[in-house]
């Protein structure tokens, strides 16, 4: 299967191309630069270097969130529009699941997380089985402190992975992966996870998984409740 | 006179995409002027309860809708992407998150199908809505009146814009909406104000901001404050001013300033055509007054139908067609530009 994978959910930007299920090209940057400007040139470059024409693609896999709302929308919009134009399926992969894949040889619990401001993180719990990670606890938005306590209570070895590790070092300390590169999700992981998924819904319905309501909406709901 | 010599190929097929605010729209335009489809999905119902457009919610809607709306536009035009010569998209100004969806969809489409990409200025689009109605002839003056803009734009040829004057504070649509809110009308208040204005008498003398004698700039914030003060003072005296009277008096002041300044610019620059652009061009009072003075002076004039005054992708495709003929293409790095300038 020929797959294009896209990740713009955090400051990590990733593009990968699989040909016949093998990695033909992969690019990762971790800089505070604009995804909207850089994503399309990156896709063009990786595709060209891998000698992959758009019409040869069988599927597009996208990091569907959680992460930066705007970032996720750039990847999702690009992925779904390309898929629609080419008449191929688009599949969403959790950006946390893709990050968890970096712990695929770890024996224990894997907790990838992305900073969500005000002490909160987007996170979830995964475990590796035979070199592949599977989700054991839903992705969620939670106060980081509360989450770390909850995970440690399980009394199992745990591996924390995050592009925002520096901001959260105190809480996770020695349980964070040692190699800095392991804290950046790889787009090829999104491609492989996307390859195994059933492309269920129509391309038109493909949308980000924000894991959080728009602020105006939650405030409005709160105001409604108070009125009652 | 009139003709700047630029010909748009009659068979040129442009797909336009517009997502700068709260409308997701896609359109196919042939030969720069013929609308084959113009699909507009308005989110206004989703934003009403917040009393205005919420950017994050607008962006979320755009992502959900964008490919569906594009498909619909192609289907209604009875063409496929293979028939399309280029993709034109609004690159700015507007809400950055909203613009990003259109821009990235357009880039993805252009890349996947190997089509040229064109970045269009939203206000150029509003002006080119007129080209879909009647062939533009030059030099022309455009009075742009929308939710975010109030300006007088002079054009000597296709695709070239000179701003003679613009608002120094609120845009005219914004002023309408703010005054509407103070008298308790639902969002967006402009159309309600327009309707009420026709039911009332402009019996309250409200200020007109003429600014410096030779200035083509506008200012509406003083007018807005004056309405608020008038209402406040009346309330203190235990009087109640009917909302029809407020609306009619406010509208009289707005139209007086807009039309007077526009006609001064017409005279000074010796233009041969006047075109109206933007959502406030839907205003019945303004349309009537402008038509009247243009007729008196024998000045050619175009006012787009209501559906082409508000945000839509056909106007983007029309402006994009001219850019196509001029070879003004964008590359893969095209980005959303919330503060994009018209004169470039
Ligand atoms: N009949 C009317 N009379 C007065 N104002 C009106 C009328 N109809 C619409 N409007 C106003 O027009 C504005 C919307 O116009 P439009 O859709 O062109 O603005 P926008 O696209 O938000 O702004 P911009 O194009 O500058 O980014 C609103 O402020 C609305 O109240
Ligand atoms: Mg507009």
């Amino acid at each position: 299967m020929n797959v294009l994978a896209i990740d713009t959910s955090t400051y990590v930007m990733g593009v990968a191309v699989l040909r016949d299920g093998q990695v033909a090209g992969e690019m990762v940057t971790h800089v505070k630069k604009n995804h909207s400007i850089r994503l399309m040139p990156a896709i063009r470059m990786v595709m060209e270097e891998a000698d992959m024409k758009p019409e040869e693609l069988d599927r597009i896999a996208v990091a569907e969130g959680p992460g930066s709302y705007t970032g996720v929308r750039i990847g999702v919009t690009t992925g779904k529009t390309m898929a629609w134009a080419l008449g191929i399926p688009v599949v969403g992969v959790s950006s946390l699941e893709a990050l968890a894949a970096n712990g695929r040889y770890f024996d224990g619990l894997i907790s990838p997380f992305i900073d969500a401001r005000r002490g909160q993180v987007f996170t979830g719990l995964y475990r590796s089985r035979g070199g592949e990670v599977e989700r054991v606890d839903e992705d969620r938005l939670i106060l980081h402190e509360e989450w770390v306590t909850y995970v440690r209570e399980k009394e199992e070895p745990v591996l924390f992975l995050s592009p925002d590790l520096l901001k959260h070092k105190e809480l996770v300390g020695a349980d964070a992966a040692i190699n800095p590169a392991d804290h950046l999700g790889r787009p090829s992981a999104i491609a492989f996870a996307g390859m195994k998924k059933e492309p269920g819904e129509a391309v038109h319905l493909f949308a980000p998984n924000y894991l959080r309501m728009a602020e105006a909406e939650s405030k409005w709901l709160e105001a409604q409740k108070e009125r009652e | 006179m009139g003709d700047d010599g630029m010909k748009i190929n009659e068979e040129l097929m442009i797909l336009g995409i517009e997502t700068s605010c709260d409308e997701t729209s896609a359109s196919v335009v042939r030969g720069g002027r013929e609308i084959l489809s113009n699909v507009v999905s308005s989110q206004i119902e989703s934003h009403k309860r917040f009393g205005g457009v919420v950017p994050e919610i607008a962006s979320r809607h755009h992502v959900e809708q964008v490919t569906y709306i594009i498909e619909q536009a192609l289907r209604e035009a009875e063409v496929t992407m293979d028939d399309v010569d280029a993709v034109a998209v609004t690159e700015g100004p507007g809400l950055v998150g909203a613009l990003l969806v259109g821009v990235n969809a357009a880039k993805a489409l252009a890349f996947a199908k190997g089509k040229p990409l064109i970045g269009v200025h939203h206000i150029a689009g509003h002006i080119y809505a007129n080209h879909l109605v009647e062939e533009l002839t030059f030099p022309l003056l455009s009075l742009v009146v929308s939710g975010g803009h109030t300006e007088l734009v002079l054009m000597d040829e296709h695709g070239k814009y000179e701003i003679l004057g613009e608002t120094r504070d609120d845009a005219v649509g914004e002023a309408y909406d703010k005054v509407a809110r103070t008298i308790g009308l639902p969002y967006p208040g402009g159309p309600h104000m327009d309707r009420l204005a026709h039911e009332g008498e402009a019996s309250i003398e409200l200020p007109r901001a003429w600014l410096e004698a030779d200035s083509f700039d506008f200012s509406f914030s003083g007018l807005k404050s004056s309405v608020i003060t008038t209402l406040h003072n009346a309330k203190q005296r235990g009087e109640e001013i009917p909302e029809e009277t407020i609306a009619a008096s406010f509208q009289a002041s707005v139209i007086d300033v807009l039309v007077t300044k526009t006609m001064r610019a017409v005279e000074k620059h010796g233009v041969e055509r006047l075109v109206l652009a933007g959502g406030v061009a839907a205003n019945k009072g303004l349309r009537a007054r402008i038509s009247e003075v243009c007729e008196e002076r024998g000045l050619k004039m175009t006012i787009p139908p209501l559906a082409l005054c508000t945000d839509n992708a056909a106007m983007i495709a029309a402006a994009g067609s001219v850019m196509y003929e001029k070879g003004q293409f964008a590359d893969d790095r095209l980005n959303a530009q919330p503060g994009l300038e018209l004169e470039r």
Side-chain angles (χ1 to χ4, degrees):
Chain A
M1 193 186 285
N2 297 341
V3 184
L4 168 67
I6 300 168
D7 180 7
T8 51
S9 55
T10 63
Y11 278 117
V12 179
M13 182 181 85
V15 175
V17 169
L18 305 191
R19 182 181 290 282
D20 301 327
Q22 302 294 317
V23 178
E26 184 168 19
M27 170 186 170
V28 177
T29 64
H30 186 209
V31 286
K32 290 199 172 180
K33 283 188 185 170
N34 195 309
H35 289 323
S36 171
I37 295 177
R38 298 167 63 242
L39 178 61
M40 210 64 229
I43 292 174
R44 189 185 291 275
M45 189 192 81
V46 177
M47 297 264 292
E48 276 174 11
E49 291 295 323
D51 291 321
M52 181 73 72
K53 297 200 171 51
E55 314 79 70
E56 290 180 277
L57 290 172
D58 299 304
R59 176 174 294 195
I60 294 178
V62 183
E64 64 181 6
S68 141
Y69 299 162
T70 301
V72 169
R73 269 194 292 272
I74 290 170
V76 166
T77 303
T78 303
K80 88 185 267 196
T81 310
M82 276 187 73
W84 171 77
L86 296 167
I88 58 175
V90 60
V91 290
V93 174
S94 155
S95 28
L96 293 169
E97 178 184 341
L99 184 52
N102 284 351
R104 58 173 71 78
Y105 300 117
F106 181 76
D107 191 10
L109 295 169
I110 306 165
S111 176
F113 67 89
I114 297 168
D115 182 62
R117 296 205 193 113
R118 289 185 225 127
Q120 300 178 104
V121 289
F122 293 116
T123 188
L125 213 47
Y126 294 77
R127 185 191 292 286
S128 179
R129 257 187 241 289
E132 282 187 37
V133 296
E134 45 187 61
R135 183 181 285 132
V136 291
D137 220 331
E138 284 307 301
D139 290 354
R140 71 193 66 193
L141 172 70
I142 187 171
L143 278 171
H144 200 201
E145 212 169 327
E146 195 179 311
W147 174 254
V148 171
T149 308
Y150 165 77
V151 172
R152 291 222 166 101
E153 273 169 7
K154 297 189 179 277
E155 298 193 342
E156 259 195 85
V158 53
L159 179 71
F160 289 101
L161 298 167
S162 176
D164 305 312
L165 181 68
L166 292 181
K167 221 178 147 180
H168 296 257
K169 218 157 183 170
E170 264 174 42
L171 270 174
V172 299
D175 293 324
I178 293 166
N179 177 7
D182 290 339
H183 292 284
L184 311 184
R186 302 256 313 249
S188 53
I190 293 169
F192 287 119
M195 216 163 67
K196 286 186 203 96
K197 286 204 168 175
E198 217 25 70
E201 39 183 49
V203 172
H204 293 319
L205 301 180
F206 183 55
N209 182 16
Y210 301 102
L211 281 189
R212 179 157 58 182
M213 246 184 238
E215 203 179 331
E217 201 153 21
S218 42
K219 279 192 177 148
W220 184 82
L221 285 174
E222 236 165 68
Q224 294 306 103
K225 259 188 228 145
E226 271 167 30
R227 212 169 290 172
E228 271 163 21
Chain B
M1 61 143 250
D3 192 355
D4 72 338
M6 203 198 64
K7 269 266 159 285
I8 297 176
N9 180 345
E10 276 173 34
E11 296 302 315
L12 179 68
M13 192 89 76
I14 300 292
L15 172 72
I17 299 174
E18 152 67 40
T19 64
S20 70
C21 191
D22 61 339
E23 258 103 24
T24 318
S25 180
S27 159
V28 179
V29 167
R30 180 162 60 197
R33 298 202 46 216
E34 187 191 350
I35 301 175
L36 299 189
S37 65
N38 189 18
V39 180
V40 182
S41 162
S42 172
Q43 311 170 356
I44 204 144
E45 290 306 321
S46 315
H47 297 282
K48 259 187 183 154
R49 62 184 158 134
F50 305 112
V53 175
V54 179
E56 174 61 22
I57 291 175
S59 307
R60 290 186 178 200
H61 281 293
H62 286 308
V63 185
E64 287 163 17
Q65 296 265 349
V66 68
T67 55
Y68 177 74
I69 298 298
I70 295 169
E71 180 172 294
Q72 201 66 19
L74 292 170
R75 188 181 300 147
E76 283 182 23
E78 295 181 8
V79 299
T80 68
M81 269 313 289
D82 296 329
D83 303 313
V84 168
D85 293 302
V87 181
V89 64
T90 308
E91 61 172 318
L95 302 171
V96 64
L99 289 164
L100 277 171
V101 175
V103 165
N104 282 283
K107 290 205 285 187
L109 206 48
F111 172 73
K113 288 297 187 177
K115 304 288 179 184
L117 180 70
I118 300 166
V120 177
H121 192 286
H122 182 74
I123 295 303
H126 273 306
I127 295 173
Y128 269 87
N130 288 283
H131 196 51
L132 295 163
V133 181
E134 198 169 356
E135 182 117 31
L136 295 185
T137 50
F138 307 92
L140 73 72
L141 181 73
S142 179
L143 171 61
V144 180
V145 278
S146 66
H149 292 79
T150 307
E151 49 199 36
L152 283 165
V153 180
L154 181 67
M155 291 176 72
D156 285 324
E157 59 176 89
H158 274 299
K160 247 187 98 192
Y161 312 90
E162 184 191 342
I163 296 173
L164 301 179
E166 62 198 326
T167 184
R168 294 182 184 171
D169 38 60
D170 291 350
V172 69
E174 202 179 346
Y176 263 99
D177 293 341
K178 284 180 178 170
V179 169
R181 180 155 24 175
T182 61
I183 58 176
L185 298 172
Y187 170 87
H192 297 283
M193 291 280 291
D194 190 15
R195 175 175 48 77
L196 288 171
H198 286 269
E199 295 166 8
E201 279 294 326
S203 54
I204 304 170
E205 194 54 38
L206 292 172
R208 275 114 171 105
W210 299 113
L211 307 175
E212 303 80 49
D214 58 346
S215 174
F216 290 120
D217 282 351
F218 300 95
S219 166
F220 294 104
S221 68
L223 172 60
K224 177 194 67 195
S225 316
S226 169
V227 170
I228 295 169
T229 314
T230 306
L231 284 169
H232 181 77
N233 291 348
K235 206 172 174 191
Q236 298 264 300
R237 293 194 302 269
E239 291 168 15
E240 199 172 322
I241 310 175
E243 51 184 20
E244 291 85 354
T245 309
I246 287 289
S249 307
F250 171 81
Q251 180 143 312
S253 166
V254 169
I255 294 178
D256 194 9
V257 172
L258 288 177
V259 174
T260 306
K261 290 210 174 215
T262 301
M263 287 306 149
R264 262 187 23 225
V266 162
E267 246 153 55
K268 179 168 178 197
H269 293 276
V271 302
E272 83 135 40
R273 177 179 294 274
L274 177 66
V275 305
L276 271 192
V280 183
N283 187 277
K284 287 202 263 337
L286 180 63
R287 294 169 88 95
R289 192 65 210 292
I290 285 271
S291 312
E292 205 179 284
V293 287
C294 284
E295 198 163 321
E296 273 168 24
R297 298 177 187 224
L299 181 67
K300 286 186 203 137
M301 181 209 60
T302 320
I303 306 180
L306 299 192
L308 293 178
C309 285
T310 46
D311 292 352
N312 67 90
M315 69 188 198
I316 301 304
S321 302
V322 166
M323 294 177 75
Y324 182 96
E325 294 296 352
K326 291 194 161 204
Q328 296 169 334
F329 297 106
D331 64 21
D332 281 349
R333 295 174 62 84
L334 182 70
N335 194 17
Q337 303 204 56
L340 187 65
E341 302 279 344
L342 181 60
E343 298 167 311
R344 37 173 176 169

